[in-house]
Amino acid sequence: MTIHRRALIRNMFMAASATYARPSFISTSIASLAEDSPILLANQFLELHFVRQENRVSLIKLVNRLSGSTTVIPSDDFCIGLAGEDALTAKDFVFRNLLEQRAADGDAFRFHFAHHSKNIQLIIEYRLARQDFFARRQLVLTTTLPL
């Protein structure tokens, strides 16, 4: 049996690419998120509960499904310090839309916000993998202006 090295490497690369490809995010309009409506991101271990109130979306509680315990989140505020500028907090941003990703390896929510007066956008992503007993939160700040 002859093994063609080039074909083997190409097939391995294609298999790896297929394994790590992530589906795109699905957009949810603001209108479909009613005021005070619950938004849930969950797996077999953990539930993250969000709520939309006016122009904000906040994480309000975590539920450990194994123990049944609930942790109330009094504030999911953040503070981003920029050199020579006032610090940015959640109150500086207005909620625009929610993008959802449902995949075999886990789910994610991307909450998109815009600064109320500056040309700055904020994405807060919560990711919960299928087999994880913890969630990941990432903040991404983008602007067309120099910081």
Side-chain angles (χ1 to χ4, degrees):
M1 178 166 109
T2 305
I3 298 176
H4 298 285
R5 187 175 191 181
R6 215 173 250 190
L8 179 64
I9 292 170
R10 184 187 70 230
N11 291 341
M12 287 173 55
F13 177 75
M14 289 172 58
S17 297
T19 302
Y20 292 105
R22 292 202 181 263
S24 61
F25 281 80
I26 301 164
S27 179
T28 302
S29 71
I30 299 171
S32 67
L33 292 176
E35 193 79 17
D36 294 327
S37 65
I39 305 165
L40 180 67
L41 181 63
N43 68 6
Q44 62 186 352
F45 302 111
L46 189 64
E47 294 178 3
L48 284 77
H49 293 259
F50 303 89
V51 68
R52 176 179 175 217
Q53 296 174 332
E54 297 178 15
N55 292 326
R56 301 220 27 221
V57 173
S58 301
L59 177 65
I60 57 168
K61 70 179 174 179
L62 299 172
V63 176
N64 181 329
R65 286 185 163 182
L66 297 178
S67 70
S69 64
T70 299
T71 303
V72 175
I73 309 296
S75 172
D76 71 339
D77 204 357
F78 56 86
C79 183
I80 301 174
L82 301 173
E85 298 282 333
D86 291 335
L88 299 172
T89 64
K91 293 177 182 143
D92 295 321
F93 293 90
V94 176
F95 175 66
R96 292 292 179 219
N97 70 339
L98 165 63
L99 298 178
E100 300 178 53
Q101 181 188 39
R102 305 290 181 183
D105 64 340
D107 300 331
F109 285 167
R110 281 188 184 167
F111 297 100
H112 288 248
F113 299 86
H115 192 276
H116 59 79
S117 62
K118 299 178 183 177
N119 190 12
I120 299 175
Q121 289 74 40
L122 172 69
I123 299 171
I124 302 177
E125 179 179 297
Y126 290 87
R127 184 168 293 279
L128 190 56
R130 292 276 179 248
Q131 299 301 318
D132 286 350
F133 55 88
F134 57 90
R136 294 171 178 86
R137 177 172 119 161
Q138 178 181 11
L139 281 71
V140 178
L141 195 64
T142 58
T143 181
T144 55
L145 305 173
L147 295 177

